[in-house]
Amino acid sequence: MSNYHIKHLEEYFQVYRKSVRNPEAFWEEIAEEHFLWRKKWDKVLSWDFSKPEVTWFEGAQLNITENCIDRHLATRGEKTAIIFEPNNPEEEAQHISYYQLHDKVCRMANVLKEKGIQKGDRVCVYLPMIPELAVTILACARIGAIHSVVFAGFSSNALATRINDSDCKIVITSDGSYRGNKSIDLKGIVDKALEECPGVAHVLVAKRTKSTIEMKNGRDEWLQPLLDAAYGDCVPEIMDAEDPLFILYTSGSTGRPKGMVHTTGGYMVYTAYTFKNVFQYRENDVYWCTADIGWITGHSYIVYGPLANGATTVMFEGVPSYPDFGRFWEVIEKHKVNQFYTAPTAIRALAKQNLEFVENHDLSSLKVLGSVGEPINEEAWHWYNNNVGKKKSPIVDTWWQTETGGIMITPIPYVTPTTPTYATLPFIGIQPALMDEEGHEIMGNQVEGRLCIKFPWPSMARTIWGDHDRYRDTYFTAYKNNYFTGDGALRDAVGYYRITGRVDDVIIVSGHNLGTAPIEDAINEHPAVAESAIVGFPHDVKGNALYGYVILKETGETRDRDNLRNEINQQITEHIGPIAKLDKIQFVSGLPKTRSGKIMRRILRKIASNDVSNLGDTSTLLNPEVVQEIIDNVV
Ligand code: 7RM
């Protein structure tokens, strides 16, 4: 029992050493003592990063919803599993008990079965942050279907690409969604997407905004009547530990989005164990993660990790600015939130507002504050620490990725002394390494390099849906026998890690990962555009914003430049979504390129960041004259 809950620093080091010296024995003990298995494993771990092939708990059988719901019913049936806090504070919050969650998930599971969904089928979930979203993914897990949640801020094009990539048979959506004082026509977006998706036979529609929508005969049905008619119990499908649980798409630096595949047993063990320790969750605590379930943070730390621990988890439909910038603090006071987990971009936006928004609320329930999604800058860290935590709640700066499934580098609150901007120490079982550009590990402290992980952990993604070669090439070829994260990091004198940011062409805007290539592809489809290049530049709220350099076709384009800028952003909104819009667009006659034709983004980044004093080596440029022209016309 003792290893499940780390209580002091000595214990952390002791358990960490144990987890590294004998990972199999360590994870076996955690898995054995804290979860419900229908059959135990034959082998804890097999791995070969050169293939790459990783299996955890091979031969074991389980259903993750039995672990997240059924096994709590005897002791926590009446306990609140999910608190739903609606967008509009005037609308009453819902408290869904574990009993009620069981009933809802079983009904939904039976509805999916009636629609012909079977074990292994892919189900696309395109829903706002309403209870149906959590219920639907659990229902998929109940019957062994693979959920693929697409964030409900993505455009119809982006949705269609994701539906087709994994051949989803059915889409679960809602009529519309609320975001602050706006409402969005989700069903309209689905209808448009499905023009390109011949494989989708059914669309089930949750009623949320009661807006008028079109229902296509034979394809579309309202969800609620089906749920009402369904039976409230459903025998869980027995899954192998390595059966896929879900697919979640993430942007890469090039090409199409990658459908990261997570499997059942290892993912459950790792998300539950990290949740318990990283948030120091205790029975009767109320935990709130403000992420959307459309991202990995929501999958692992709104749904699976908390529910596997029998926790009470808050699902918030709204935004931090509605009805005013006090909303987060109001919700913390209202539900007496003990652990609060949010993103630096939200903290920065809130820190810009009048302090009264925070001070008007009683935040004394808080015990732990979390940060995730991008590096947290020092100013934001102190604002969070002083004004939200009142210097009493430790901040856990948690570094991890869609690909890692769970938190990888993080302090353990009340255990690890924190330092602003440092994610501090690897979590139990995680073996980080810093690499130089030649591929050698950099040993010792006070060093900086590219962050890799040397040894498998239970919740790592197993493949990219339909493209195992790409999985190998992206993560396991740059550094032999290592998983490469795409991030840079430094290790300080005491061995603490600080993540310095992406070293590839992924740009994190307001915590959303955006690959430059898909945005450039979208821009280049504009009839007036010949070529484009996107870079990030520092932004005081978003962390990074996007700067686009655009070459127009030589057709004597005379249209108003601002109109063109709007059209380009419209183009991006349609192809990807509004999160990928450019803050600045500069029209240029050429882009700095190397002789091999590569755009030198390093130079473009410096120009966009107003840092042109030292552009570094430009001797390999084919067209050095274009650099001065770009500097002279910067926007
Ligand atoms: C959980 C999540 C992954 C990328 C990752 C980093 C960046 C995330 C932190 C961070 C510095 C952090 N998954 N990142 N957390 N950088 N400090 N605490 O965000 O797949 O959407 O993004 O996010 O670059 O590679 S993600």
Side-chain angles (χ1 to χ4, degrees):
M1 277 308 238
S2 65
N3 291 334
Y4 194 63
H5 169 201
I6 313 289
K7 289 174 280 333
H8 51 85
L9 195 58
E10 220 17 74
E11 190 184 2
Y12 160 79
F13 284 117
Q14 198 192 321
V15 178
Y16 182 78
R17 277 194 296 270
K18 187 170 157 186
S19 73
V20 168
R21 275 197 204 126
N22 195 343
E24 296 194 35
F26 174 78
W27 287 111
E28 174 156 51
E29 188 187 312
I30 297 289
E32 194 134 44
E33 287 181 5
H34 303 281
F35 302 92
L36 187 68
W37 303 88
R38 290 296 188 104
K39 176 178 172 289
K40 292 277 163 73
W41 42 91
D42 305 317
K43 194 164 185 331
V44 178
L45 169 67
S46 357
W47 67 292
D48 178 350
F49 275 178
S50 70
K51 285 197 164 73
E53 220 172 80
V54 174
T55 58
W56 284 91
F57 308 113
E58 207 178 335
Q61 294 185 326
L62 73 155
N63 185 289
I64 196 169
T65 70
E66 275 195 304
N67 282 272
C68 289
I69 307 171
D70 303 57
R71 66 168 168 149
H72 305 311
L73 295 180
T75 51
R76 302 182 176 107
E78 305 286 353
K79 179 178 173 175
T80 299
I82 296 175
I83 299 177
F84 170 63
E85 172 66 27
N87 176 65
N88 181 352
E90 315 271 289
E91 189 183 325
E92 214 175 312
Q94 285 178 39
H95 289 71
I96 301 168
S97 70
Y98 275 92
Y99 274 135
Q100 291 166 325
L101 185 62
H102 180 265
D103 177 77
K104 285 176 189 288
V105 168
C106 287
R107 285 171 189 268
M108 185 69 205
N110 286 326
V111 168
L112 290 172
K113 277 193 188 169
E114 272 166 40
K115 296 295 153 204
I117 303 302
Q118 298 176 351
K119 178 175 179 175
D121 289 344
R122 275 78 59 203
V123 173
C124 175
V125 187
Y126 187 70
L127 278 169
M129 281 288 282
I130 56 177
E132 285 87 340
L133 173 49
V135 167
T136 302
I137 72 174
L138 291 163
C140 289
R142 188 81 173 175
I143 64 170
I146 303 170
H147 55 79
S148 169
V149 182
V150 177
F151 172 60
F154 275 118
S155 69
S156 56
N157 268 299
L159 175 60
T161 308
R162 287 159 175 76
I163 289 172
N164 289 332
D165 183 77
S166 48
D167 298 314
C168 294
K169 287 190 166 172
I170 186 168
V171 178
I172 319 300
T173 190
S174 65
D175 48 359
S177 68
Y178 293 122
R179 259 186 86 78
N181 51 22
K182 283 191 284 213
S183 60
I184 296 159
D185 174 23
L186 279 197
K187 179 60 167 53
I189 295 172
V190 170
D191 289 341
K192 187 138 181 272
L194 292 192
E195 289 170 14
E196 315 293 325
C197 305
V200 173
H202 299 283
V203 178
L204 305 183
V205 186
K207 193 171 268 189
R208 180 57 183 143
T209 55
K210 305 193 177 79
S211 49
T212 339
I213 57 165
E214 273 179 40
M215 294 293 270
K216 188 170 165 186
N217 230 331
R219 187 193 71 182
D220 304 349
E221 280 175 275
W222 289 105
L223 180 58
Q224 196 57 50
L226 299 174
L227 291 172
D228 292 341
Y231 185 51
D233 202 359
C234 171
V235 177
E237 187 78 31
I238 302 306
M239 306 297 287
D240 288 342
E242 282 296 338
D243 279 338
L245 175 63
F246 65 84
I247 300 168
L248 186 60
Y249 287 87
T250 186
S251 322
S253 45
T254 55
R256 300 192 304 165
K258 297 171 287 193
M260 304 312 306
V261 177
H262 282 282
T263 59
T264 309
Y267 176 83
M268 171 183 77
V269 169
Y270 194 79
T271 53
Y273 183 52
T274 46
F275 173 76
K276 176 79 181 163
N277 283 289
V278 174
F279 300 103
Q280 293 282 304
Y281 185 84
R282 299 291 171 272
E283 194 68 45
N284 302 324
D285 282 352
V286 174
Y287 162 87
W288 179 22
C289 167
T290 69
D292 192 291
I293 293 175
W295 310 115
I296 190 71
T297 305
H299 280 62
S300 302
Y301 299 109
I302 295 177
V303 182
Y304 289 111
L307 297 179
N309 282 282
T312 299
T313 176
V314 176
M315 246 185 107
F316 176 47
E317 183 187 28
V319 294
S321 55
Y322 178 81
D324 61 40
F325 281 97
R327 186 68 190 279
F328 274 7
W329 324 126
E330 181 196 317
V331 173
I332 291 173
E333 177 175 14
K334 176 174 171 190
H335 298 298
K336 301 196 172 51
V337 171
N338 302 109
Q339 291 90 1
F340 177 66
Y341 192 28
T342 194
T345 184
I347 299 167
R348 287 189 297 264
L350 294 167
K352 286 193 135 189
Q353 314 303 322
N354 196 324
L355 251 191
E356 280 176 13
F357 282 120
V358 191
E359 287 166 349
N360 285 342
H361 295 282
D362 176 5
L363 305 183
S364 60
S365 57
L366 288 172
K367 297 193 283 190
V368 175
L369 301 177
S371 172
V372 61
E374 57 182 310
I376 179 166
N377 52 305
E378 190 139 7
E379 208 184 333
W381 194 97
H382 284 295
W383 186 86
Y384 199 26
N385 186 41
N386 296 342
N387 300 297
V388 182
K390 322 283 181 201
K391 297 190 177 151
K392 285 197 301 252
S393 295
I395 295 176
V396 289
D397 178 357
T398 63
W399 173 83
W400 58 297
Q401 308 177 296
T402 305
E403 295 86 338
T404 69
I407 294 169
M408 302 288 281
I409 303 183
T410 180
I412 296 178
Y414 302 98
V415 171
T416 319
T418 58
T419 303
T421 76
Y422 282 78
T424 76
L425 297 170
F427 189 74
I428 310 296
I430 303 306
Q431 303 187 36
L434 297 180
M435 302 292 182
D436 64 22
E437 286 181 32
E438 278 75 58
H440 302 117
E441 182 171 358
I442 309 167
M443 306 305 283
N445 286 351
Q446 286 188 295
V447 292
E448 185 168 355
R450 299 183 167 212
L451 180 62
C452 288
I453 312 291
K454 296 197 243 199
F455 194 85
W457 62 100
S459 66
M460 64 190 291
R462 302 295 195 258
T463 191
I464 292 173
W465 183 264
D467 200 347
H468 197 67
D469 287 350
R470 186 174 180 203
Y471 178 65
R472 185 190 54 235
D473 295 346
T474 310
Y475 303 107
F476 296 91
T477 42
Y479 302 95
K480 202 167 179 292
N481 276 319
N482 276 271
Y483 164 79
F484 174 47
T485 65
D487 283 317
L490 61 81
R491 188 163 54 222
D492 76 359
V494 298
Y496 275 15
Y497 288 86
R498 176 187 187 167
I499 312 304
T500 48
R502 300 292 308 188
V503 296
D504 55 13
D505 289 328
V506 172
I507 306 170
I508 304 191
V509 178
S510 298
H512 302 310
N513 295 8
L514 300 171
T516 51
I519 303 177
E520 289 162 4
D521 291 347
I523 299 172
N524 297 349
E525 280 195 20
H526 189 286
V529 172
E531 202 185 345
S532 61
I534 302 299
V535 297
F537 68 99
H539 184 282
D540 64 350
V541 171
K542 302 182 193 180
N544 295 294
L546 299 178
Y547 194 115
Y549 297 92
V550 175
I551 306 176
L552 294 175
K553 283 184 185 154
E554 287 175 20
T555 48
E557 182 60 57
T558 53
R559 273 184 291 170
D560 181 76
R561 290 299 186 257
D562 280 338
N563 282 348
L564 276 177
R565 288 189 173 94
N566 288 338
E567 286 176 23
I568 286 171
N569 269 330
Q570 189 51 36
Q571 191 89 9
I572 294 172
T573 304
E574 279 165 22
H575 277 75
I576 300 158
I579 52 179
K581 283 206 275 190
L582 310 180
D583 268 39
K584 294 183 181 177
I585 298 176
Q586 178 177 0
F587 295 102
V588 297
S589 69
L591 295 166
K593 286 193 181 169
T594 64
R595 272 156 224 286
S596 61
K598 284 212 178 75
I599 297 171
M600 255 213 212
R601 291 174 193 276
R602 177 171 55 80
I603 293 176
L604 295 176
R605 265 195 291 271
K606 287 204 160 199
I607 298 174
S609 312
N610 246 320
D611 173 24
V612 292
S613 55
N614 177 15
L615 288 179
D617 182 17
T618 54
S619 63
T620 57
L621 279 184
L622 196 62
N623 51 349
E625 70 289 344
V626 80
V627 175
Q628 195 55 48
E629 177 216 295
I630 297 178
I631 294 174
D632 291 343
N633 295 299
V634 75
V635 283

